[in-house]
Amino acid sequence: MSAERPTLPPVRLHTEAELARDALAAPLLARAVRLARWAGPETRVGAGGELVEEQLPAAAEHLGLTADEDGAAEASEAWRLAVDTGLVDVEDPEEAAGEDAEGTAAAGENLALITGGSPQDVLSIWLDGLEAVHADATAPVFEDFADLVGEDGSIDFESLDWDPEVEAEFLDGVLGNLYLLTVGDGGADVAPVPLPALAASMIVPDDMGEPTDDVLEQVSEAMMRLDDQFRVLEPIGIVEYRPLDEALLAEEGEDATPPADDEDITRYGMVKLTPLGLYGIRARMLEAGVDAPAIGDLADKDADALLGGIAYYPETAARSEVELWLTRRGADGAAAELLAAARGADRQAPLRRLHCQQALALVGAEAEPAVRAVLDDPELGGLARVWLAELGAADVPAPPESMIFWLAIDTIAAQLESEGDLEELQGLVEGLAGQHSGFFDEAWRVEHPATADVLEAMGRLHSDKKKAKEARKSAFKARSRTGA
């Protein structure tokens, strides 16, 4: 039953149907779909599958783009995505046809899935597109490609000073920080993040006070880099991006210096993940082996997995997960399963009991028979009495003193394990100790695995020096009694 603390908080994702609609509305994928339907017997491609230059104006016109270099570049970008996602199949020219020979293109089998497939099919296509766009965002920018080509036709990649793994790791780190900021705030109505703050999160050491000029220069370079990358990423739909104001470059030179406190921060770029972006970044994290839970992951699991899985969730996320579990499973028999899963003497057991009590509140009065059945249980009897009292049930037997002390230790152990708010924990400690005269004279005798640890923590947290000393003395007795 032991649970591991998740690397990231759980994310609340939109439904797959909503995400699929967002994916189809992403400008770049929408254009790729239109070009895939436009392609026909007359479509000609080069050796790499790209549209031949002569057909780019027609492709741009079909997409309603401007009849200039920018329009042609956007049409070429959409075509590449259509090829990368299987919306278009290209047939390379035969080798015997010569260097200038052209290949052909036709609709790929994935094109039919855009309208006839499931939301999962659409999202799978979109994720392939995200991978392609991510690769484009981390690719080097060629000032003059001809300078890289040697006399023998080979390309000197070393002169680029570009490491694809380093570039990808940097962008993934930035997107990971954005994900954490979004999920940490609940994922809804999160304010855009200033580009300088995002760049600084990757460059400035946590323990640095005032950044040095060298560090500020690195932040400036990272901002410029991210500005280019987010411009590439926005059309696939993972971010909403307000670009860096290009007038700043004219004002400050080639690099934009991070703003002073009194400057308009929005001029330096603002970015936020979209709901589709949350889904996409999480999918990439899962593929990389990162623990990135989502609310609903535990809906079809048993009660053991549920209580273990939500052990370290924030309260609102845990409640949502339990609600989904109850909806999927049904209330019949749920209380007995939850209570059985709450038993245990391992470190996370107090947290499971805490979440069990909260889950039983969602089950409602139907849980009463199962709860009454554990009134004499040494681990669950105290929890059961508290729950019945909150329900307003009649004939709730008074707990024996040993159970009162055991429940007090268990409650504090749960809060310590969850690493909750320190002031709330201090209030709980002082409240429980104050309810019972001579609390520390008796608490060390409690047969609970966490007794000594809880008493030591109470000694650290209690604001009354005399009570704190009593707690530490009681903790020593507890350890001596158990031989620990």
Side-chain angles (χ1 to χ4, degrees):
M1 290 187 197
S2 181
E4 292 185 3
R5 193 179 298 272
T7 307
L8 296 165
V11 61
R12 187 185 300 273
L13 296 175
H14 285 194
T15 66
E16 288 187 336
E18 291 171 323
L19 292 169
R21 284 195 293 271
D22 290 346
L24 292 174
L28 187 54
L29 183 60
R31 289 173 184 167
V33 170
R34 291 178 65 187
L35 284 186
R37 291 171 176 156
W38 166 80
E42 303 302 316
T43 306
R44 294 291 178 267
V45 299
E50 74 283 0
L51 269 181
V52 296
E53 190 171 343
E54 294 78 8
Q55 292 196 324
L56 286 175
E61 181 181 3
H62 180 74
L63 295 175
L65 299 171
T66 55
D68 55 18
E69 288 186 1
D70 289 342
E74 289 181 50
S76 176
E77 183 182 19
W79 178 263
R80 290 200 311 273
L81 190 80
V83 174
D84 289 336
T85 55
L87 299 174
V88 167
D89 285 337
V90 296
E91 187 75 30
D92 292 330
E94 295 182 7
E95 292 184 10
E99 290 185 6
D100 297 329
E102 296 171 343
T104 58
E109 60 181 50
N110 278 354
L111 183 58
L113 296 176
I114 291 294
T115 53
S118 66
Q120 294 97 321
D121 292 328
V122 172
L123 290 171
S124 178
I125 293 169
W126 179 83
L127 285 172
D128 288 341
L130 175 59
E131 287 300 313
V133 173
H134 184 281
D136 287 344
T138 57
V141 177
F142 301 115
E143 296 293 340
D144 190 347
F145 186 75
D147 292 342
L148 301 175
V149 181
E151 293 181 1
D152 60 353
S154 62
I155 300 174
D156 182 13
F157 284 106
E158 291 186 4
S159 65
L160 288 173
D161 190 26
W162 172 68
D163 186 326
E165 290 187 5
V166 170
E167 289 295 325
E169 184 178 335
F170 177 82
L171 181 55
D172 284 338
V174 169
L175 293 174
N177 283 351
L178 257 184
Y179 182 93
L180 184 57
L181 287 169
T182 306
V183 174
D185 283 344
D189 299 323
V190 178
V193 179
L195 200 61
L198 203 53
S201 72
M202 297 295 294
I203 303 297
V204 182
D206 292 337
D207 58 353
M208 177 174 281
E210 189 72 20
T212 63
D213 289 343
D214 179 59
V215 168
L216 288 175
E217 184 178 348
Q218 292 179 53
V219 171
S220 176
E221 291 172 358
M223 285 168 53
M224 302 303 297
R225 209 161 137 203
L226 288 173
D227 180 61
D228 290 337
Q229 291 175 331
F230 284 132
R231 289 173 192 258
V232 174
L233 290 170
E234 185 179 33
I236 199 64
I238 74 165
V239 293
E240 294 176 12
Y241 183 53
R242 176 174 175 173
L244 190 151
D245 186 349
E246 294 185 3
L248 287 170
L249 303 183
E251 294 170 11
E252 303 181 11
E254 188 63 27
D255 291 334
T257 305
D261 292 341
D262 59 347
E263 292 188 63
D264 181 6
I265 192 71
T266 62
R267 294 187 67 194
Y268 291 80
M270 304 288 287
V271 63
K272 67 180 290 188
L273 281 181
T274 64
L276 185 61
L278 278 173
Y279 168 82
I281 301 307
R282 177 178 181 261
R284 287 178 55 83
M285 287 179 172
L286 293 176
E287 184 70 22
V290 176
D291 180 15
I295 294 173
D297 282 351
L298 306 171
D300 59 350
K301 301 294 191 295
D302 61 21
D304 289 309
L306 174 70
L307 294 185
I310 66 174
Y312 301 104
Y313 278 18
E315 185 176 346
T316 54
R319 181 184 179 90
S320 296
E321 192 69 63
V322 172
E323 288 174 340
L324 289 172
W325 185 82
L326 288 171
T327 299
R328 178 75 65 90
R329 189 219 170 279
D332 185 37
E337 286 187 33
L338 289 165
L339 287 163
R343 288 190 173 92
D346 56 283
R347 194 183 69 191
Q348 286 88 18
L351 260 183
R352 290 201 303 276
R353 285 185 279 273
L354 175 64
H355 285 299
C356 174
Q357 183 176 337
Q358 293 166 346
L360 290 172
L362 298 176
V363 176
E366 292 180 50
E368 185 171 353
V371 173
R372 285 191 177 276
V374 299
L375 281 170
D376 295 329
D377 188 292
E379 292 181 356
L380 304 176
L383 173 159
R385 284 167 172 79
V386 171
W387 185 87
L388 288 168
E390 290 175 348
L391 184 68
D395 302 323
V396 180
E401 188 177 71
S402 60
M403 186 174 285
I404 294 174
F405 282 99
W406 196 96
L407 182 60
I409 295 295
D410 200 58
T411 300
I412 297 175
Q415 296 299 330
L416 289 170
E417 183 63 25
S418 68
E419 297 181 357
D421 181 82
L422 187 59
E423 287 188 10
E424 289 184 9
L425 181 56
Q426 187 175 32
L428 175 64
V429 164
E430 295 180 356
L432 286 173
Q435 285 176 10
H436 312 286
S437 60
F439 179 87
F440 296 114
D441 292 334
E442 299 296 330
W444 63 273
R445 295 185 173 91
V446 173
E447 297 285 347
H448 190 293
T451 296
D453 290 336
V454 165
L455 291 171
E456 280 188 358
M458 294 179 80
R460 293 193 302 271
L461 293 166
H462 209 296
S463 59
D464 186 307
K465 291 184 178 180
K466 182 179 178 182
K467 293 291 185 184
K469 184 177 180 180
E470 290 177 8
R472 292 192 295 271
K473 184 177 178 181
S474 188
F476 178 79
K477 287 182 178 180
R479 293 208 186 279
S480 299
R481 182 178 62 83
T482 59

